[in-house]
Amino acid sequence: MVSPPPQSVTRFAIDSQHLLRVGVDPVDKCVSLVRVAHSQAHLLYACPLTSAAVRKKLGRRTEIAPEKRRNATLRWTPKSHFKTGDVRFKYVFTIMTNQEERVVLITKSKSVTSTVLVVERQVDNNNDRNEKNEYIAGGEHSGIVISKIGNYDVENETPADTSVQFCVFLVNGQTGLHTKEMRTIRFWCNRDEKVDASAVASQFFQDLVSPDQFPLDYVGFVKRMLTLMHKGYKCLSRLEIELKQLEKTSIKPVHQVPVESSTTNSDITRTKLRELIESSYPNPLTIDDIYKKRGWDHADIKDNLDILQQSGIVKPVDGGGYTRVVLHDKIVEQIPIIQTNRQPTVAIITAEYCEKVAVDALIENKETFVRYTTVGESNVYTIGKMGNHSVVCTKLPALGLSRQATIASGNAITRLLGTFQKVEHVFVCGAGGGVPHYTNYDKHVKLGDVVVSHYGNKQKAVYTYCENVLNENGNITFHCRQYSPKTFDIQIAAMKLQTEVKSIDNTRPLWDVYLSEGLNKIEKQKTDGESDFNRPPADSDKLQMFIGGGTELIEITHPISDSQKNKDLGTRIHVGPIGGGQSAVSNESTRKKFATEYKLLAMDSEFDSVMGSLMGNYCHSYAVVRGISDYKDGSLKNDWQPYASLAAASVIKAILSIIKI
C-alpha cells in the first residue's frame, strides 16, 4: 500500500467566495480541479503539471454546489478508485465536508415599511472571518454571526420549500396605536437530506411562537429565530423573514375564541336561556333548576320563558319544568315496539341540541319519541331512514366530569343499545375542535371541515381520552385511555370518500349534496330566535394564538394549496385520530403537546363515558365524527357550531351510502 504524501504540500482550499482552487501535487507534479456536488467529489480536470494546457488553467476556479459551500479538509484517493482515463497520476484530492458551521444573519433588503432578513448556515472558515464586517457572538451563542454588510446575493435563488405567514400587533407606547405587521417566514431544507419540509417548518413555527417564550419585541424575535437555527433544525439550510407593516388602528385585536366566563352571575338573555334548555333536552328544567345553574333572578327567568313559549321555542311539561319544542315528537311512557323491518341497524349519538337537529334533518320518514321522567333521565329517539339504512338518533342528557353526568351518559348508551338490539354501527356525531397545520394545506384542519376517527399512531387508537396530565419540572406526561373498534367498515368508507374527491376534479362531493339538502329542510322549519345553520363567512375563521404568557395575540394565515387558490372548497374530510379530556384540552400549550404526541386531527371534551359504554356493550363498529367549529374542543357556542354539526351529519349520510349491511 502506497503511503499518501504529507498534507503540508497541498494548496487545496476554499476561498472566501466559496470557490474551489486548483490543487497541486508537487510529489507527482500533477494538478487537479475537483467539484463537490451531492456529497461526492467530481474530477473536473487532471493531468501532469508539465502540460501546457494545465499551465494555462493554473489558478482557474470552479464553483462548489451551494449546499456544500464549506471549508474542506483533504484526503488522498488511490488512482484505482477512478475509471480508466479519468486520471493520469497516482493520487487525487477529495473534499471532506465535516467542518463546524455557523448561523449568519444577513439583511437582504430594507424600506420604510418592510424589512427582509436571511438566516443562513455557513461553514465556519476561520480564514474567511472579517470582524470589520461581522458581529460574532460568544459564549453560549458562539456560532451566531450578524453581518454588517446590508446586501445579499440573490442570483440563482431557488424557490422556498414552504412558508408560514402570521400577523402581530405592535403597540406604540406613546400613542397607544396598534400597528398590524405581517411576518412571513420562508424555509429552505438541505437538498441532500430527505425531510418533510412542511412538518419541519410547522414544528419550527410552533417552537417559535410558544406562548411562554415568544418574544414581544423585534430584537427578541430575531434572536429567537437565530437561537432555534443554531441549537437545532440542522436540516434547515436557510430562512428568509419578511416583516411588512400594514395598517394602524386604535382598536385592540379581539380573540375570536373568547375564554368562557363563569357559568353563574352573567346577565340573562333569551339566547342564553334557550341554549341552556336545549343543552338539557330531553330533560326538562324548572325555574329552580335554572336558578341553581346560572344564578339568574327568578322573575327574569319567568319573563324570558314566557317570551320563548310565545315564540314556540319552549313548552311547559308536567312537574313545572320547561323543555324544547320539537316538531312532530310523540311523548310516550315507554318506547313502542318497532317493527322488524324498521329496526335500526345504525345508531347516531349527539350531545348538543343543534347536533341532533342536524342529524334529524337528514333522516327520512322519521318519528321522534320522547319519554319524560321526573326521576332519572329522560330519553329521546328519532327513528327513520338514511338512504337504505334504518337509523336511530338520540341526544345525551348530560356530559361532563361529574359522577352524575358520567353515569347518565353511560346509562343512555346502554339503554339505547338495549332497546335497539340490531344496531351494528354507531356514530358519535357533533362539533369538535380542529388541530391546525400551519404550513401544509392537505394536513390543515380548519373550521367547517369534518374529521372521522381512525387510528394513526403506534397504539392504533381511533380515540384517545386524557384522564390526567402530570407536569414534573416542565416534563409533561399524559395518562390516557385509548379506544379502537374491532372492525373498520366506517373508516374504510370514509377514506374511500376522501380518495374519490381528491382524484376527481370539479366534482361536487356527495356530503356537500346532503349538506344542502339538510340546510333547506332546517330553513323551512326554522322559527325566529333559533340557530342559523348556514356556513359563516370565511373571514370569521381566524387562526389565532395567545403569546407572551397569554397577554398578546397573533393571527396566523391559513395555508393554501397552490393548485386550489381562489376556490371555495367548502367542507373537506379528514380521517385520523381524535382525542379529548378537559385536563388536556383546557390549556393551549398542553393541548398542542397532546395533539402532537398522539397525532390528533380533532378534539372534543368529555366523551370517555360514551366510548367506555360502547366498548362495554360489545359494539364492534363505531366512529367519532366531528365537524370543526373552533380550535379548542367544539364546546364553545359560536356561529360555526350549527354548520359544523350539519357538516358532520352530512358526512355520516355519505358514509352510509357506501356501507352495505
Side-chain angles (χ1 to χ4, degrees):
M1 181 175 179
V2 181
S3 299
Q7 292 193 13
S8 59
V9 301
T10 66
R11 291 174 47 231
F12 204 105
I14 299 176
D15 66 9
S16 60
Q17 298 300 316
H18 310 296
L19 299 177
L20 189 63
R21 288 179 181 155
V22 175
V24 180
D25 176 5
V27 176
D28 282 343
K29 296 183 179 180
C30 292
V31 65
S32 63
L33 296 174
V34 181
R35 175 174 60 86
V36 174
H38 306 295
S39 302
Q40 295 180 348
H42 298 274
L43 188 65
L44 298 182
Y45 191 89
C47 65
L49 187 60
T50 55
S51 166
V54 174
R55 285 199 297 270
K56 291 181 180 179
K57 293 182 179 292
L58 196 60
R60 185 175 178 179
R61 300 181 296 182
T62 182
E63 187 173 359
I64 293 179
E67 62 269 26
K68 293 298 177 183
R69 291 177 176 176
R70 305 174 180 178
N71 191 27
T73 57
L74 304 176
R75 67 181 174 86
W76 297 88
T77 303
K79 174 182 176 181
S80 59
H81 287 199
F82 291 85
K83 294 180 181 179
T84 304
D86 282 348
V87 293
R88 300 179 185 176
F89 54 93
K90 191 175 294 184
Y91 298 98
V92 295
F93 297 118
T94 303
I95 303 295
M96 301 294 291
T97 57
N98 59 355
Q99 299 300 295
E100 293 293 329
E101 292 180 332
R102 62 181 189 169
V103 174
V104 182
L105 174 67
I106 307 167
T107 301
K108 183 177 180 180
S109 64
K110 193 170 185 178
S111 67
V112 176
T113 58
S114 68
T115 301
V116 180
L117 305 173
V118 172
V119 178
E120 186 178 55
R121 292 191 190 280
Q122 296 179 3
V123 169
D124 187 5
N125 187 347
N126 292 327
N127 296 327
D128 293 342
R129 290 188 178 181
N130 188 341
E131 295 186 2
K132 292 183 179 180
N133 297 328
E134 295 176 338
Y135 293 106
I136 301 174
E140 64 175 330
H141 299 298
S142 179
I144 295 179
V145 177
I146 300 175
S147 175
K148 300 178 186 178
I149 302 175
N151 56 50
Y152 182 79
D153 184 9
V154 296
E155 291 185 7
N156 302 319
E157 190 172 73
T158 57
D161 293 314
T162 188
S163 64
V164 63
Q165 191 175 71
F166 62 101
C167 287
V168 298
F169 300 89
L170 309 176
V171 183
N172 187 309
Q174 296 179 341
T175 64
L177 290 176
H178 288 76
T179 300
K180 187 176 183 180
E181 182 177 83
M182 179 74 75
R183 296 182 179 180
T184 304
I185 307 174
R186 301 179 182 90
F187 299 83
W188 283 262
C189 292
N190 292 327
R191 291 289 178 265
D192 55 344
E193 294 189 34
K194 294 182 179 180
V195 295
D196 183 347
S198 66
V200 172
S202 181
Q203 187 58 53
F204 182 96
F205 178 70
Q206 291 184 63
D207 288 343
L208 175 67
V209 300
S210 174
D212 298 329
Q213 300 184 42
F214 186 84
L216 300 180
D217 62 298
Y218 172 81
V219 174
F221 172 73
V222 175
K223 181 180 176 181
R224 175 75 176 152
M225 296 197 68
L226 286 168
T227 302
L228 286 174
M229 278 285 282
H230 182 232
K231 299 296 184 182
Y233 294 97
K234 300 298 183 182
C235 57
L236 290 175
S237 61
R238 179 176 153 216
L239 302 176
E240 184 176 283
I241 309 99
E242 181 179 1
L243 305 100
K244 187 175 182 180
Q245 292 188 4
L246 304 178
E247 72 272 9
K248 293 184 179 181
T249 177
S250 59
I251 302 174
K252 186 177 181 179
V254 179
H255 201 292
Q256 293 296 110
V257 183
V259 178
E260 289 187 300
S261 59
S262 172
T263 57
T264 60
N265 298 325
S266 58
D267 294 336
I268 187 172
T269 66
R270 285 192 292 276
T271 299
K272 291 179 182 178
L273 182 57
R274 172 180 61 80
E275 289 175 348
L276 179 61
I277 292 174
E278 288 177 347
S279 67
S280 180
Y281 178 83
N283 288 334
L285 291 177
T286 65
I287 292 177
D288 282 340
D289 292 333
I290 297 171
Y291 169 75
K292 291 176 183 178
K293 288 177 178 290
R294 292 292 186 266
W296 295 326
D297 182 76
H298 281 68
D300 290 339
I301 296 172
K302 184 64 172 66
D303 291 342
N304 281 276
L305 282 172
D306 289 342
I307 296 173
L308 290 176
Q309 185 177 346
Q310 293 170 9
S311 302
I313 294 175
V314 303
K315 64 181 179 181
V317 295
D318 293 341
Y322 290 82
T323 190
R324 188 64 166 83
V325 171
V326 178
L327 294 178
H328 312 303
D329 62 342
K330 299 177 182 179
I331 300 175
V332 296
E333 292 184 1
Q334 295 293 332
I335 302 300
I337 298 174
I338 307 300
Q339 296 176 356
T340 303
N341 62 346
R342 293 194 65 204
Q343 278 285 340
T345 55
V346 175
I348 304 174
I349 300 167
T350 64
E352 296 289 340
Y353 182 78
C354 67
E355 297 169 355
K356 187 171 189 307
V357 170
V359 174
D360 288 355
L362 296 174
I363 299 177
E364 304 291 340
N365 303 321
K366 57 180 175 284
E367 287 184 287
T368 298
F369 301 99
V370 182
R371 175 178 169 268
Y372 291 118
T373 61
T374 55
V375 179
E377 300 296 334
S378 301
N379 305 112
V380 57
Y381 301 117
T382 299
I383 301 169
K385 287 278 191 177
M386 265 196 183
N388 296 322
H389 300 276
S390 294
V391 302
V392 56
C393 176
T394 190
K395 178 187 175 296
L396 298 176
L399 278 176
L401 291 170
S402 69
R403 179 176 176 81
Q404 181 182 2
T406 301
I407 293 173
S409 298
N411 287 346
I413 304 302
T414 300
R415 195 176 298 113
L416 168 72
L417 298 178
T419 303
F420 305 99
Q421 297 185 8
K422 288 192 175 183
V423 167
E424 296 183 22
H425 303 285
V426 176
F427 294 88
V428 181
C429 173
V435 178
H437 196 287
Y438 301 112
T439 58
N440 190 316
Y441 171 81
D442 291 327
K443 296 179 181 179
H444 180 48
V445 182
K446 62 186 300 186
L447 302 191
D449 287 356
V450 175
V451 179
V452 180
S453 64
H454 196 13
Y455 63 79
N457 48 53
K458 294 180 180 179
Q459 293 84 6
K460 290 193 174 182
V462 303
Y463 187 88
T464 299
Y465 174 78
C466 181
E467 186 176 15
N468 190 26
V469 179
L470 294 180
N471 190 340
E472 298 180 357
N473 300 321
N475 184 25
I476 297 177
T477 305
F478 300 100
H479 292 266
C480 301
R481 285 193 289 268
Q482 296 187 300
Y483 301 93
S484 189
K486 286 190 175 181
T487 61
F488 294 91
D489 294 345
I490 296 173
Q491 286 77 10
I492 291 170
M495 288 190 293
K496 184 177 180 181
L497 283 173
Q498 186 184 43
T499 303
E500 287 178 351
V501 169
K502 287 183 177 180
S503 61
I504 304 174
D505 293 333
N506 301 319
T507 300
R508 189 181 183 190
L510 183 57
W511 64 82
D512 196 41
V513 176
Y514 293 142
L515 200 155
S516 297
E517 170 192 316
L519 185 59
N520 290 334
K521 290 183 179 179
I522 291 172
E523 288 296 312
K524 289 179 181 178
Q525 301 173 359
K526 182 177 155 184
T527 60
D528 292 339
E530 292 194 280
S531 300
D532 184 0
F533 282 78
N534 285 285
R535 185 181 179 94
D539 60 5
S540 66
D541 181 6
K542 294 187 183 297
L543 191 55
Q544 297 175 322
M545 184 186 301
F546 277 119
I547 57 172
T551 59
E552 299 297 331
L553 190 69
I554 64 172
E555 188 175 300
I556 306 160
T557 303
H558 293 278
I560 300 174
S561 172
D562 291 336
S563 61
Q564 295 172 321
K565 285 182 179 178
N566 303 320
K567 284 187 179 181
D568 181 12
L569 298 174
T571 294
R572 294 188 299 152
I573 285 184
H574 306 268
V575 182
I578 295 177
Q582 283 298 313
S583 59
V585 305
S586 57
N587 177 271
E588 186 168 346
S589 60
T590 305
R591 184 166 66 249
K592 288 180 182 177
K593 184 172 177 58
F594 180 49
T596 300
E597 187 163 325
Y598 292 95
K599 299 180 175 62
L600 305 179
L601 299 185
M603 298 189 201
D604 54 31
S605 51
E606 294 297 322
F607 281 82
D608 180 51
S609 58
V610 175
M611 306 306 294
S613 185
L614 289 176
M615 295 289 287
N617 284 280
Y618 302 101
C619 179
H620 297 321
S621 176
Y622 59 83
V624 180
V625 182
R626 293 295 175 211
I628 305 305
S629 63
D630 58 45
Y631 293 107
K632 187 186 176 187
D633 60 4
S635 64
L636 299 175
K637 303 295 183 183
N638 61 14
D639 293 340
W640 281 93
Q641 197 177 55
Y643 176 84
S645 302
L646 183 57
S650 302
V651 168
I652 289 176
K653 187 166 184 176
I655 290 173
L656 290 177
S657 70
I658 296 177
I659 292 180
K660 295 181 180 180
I661 299 178

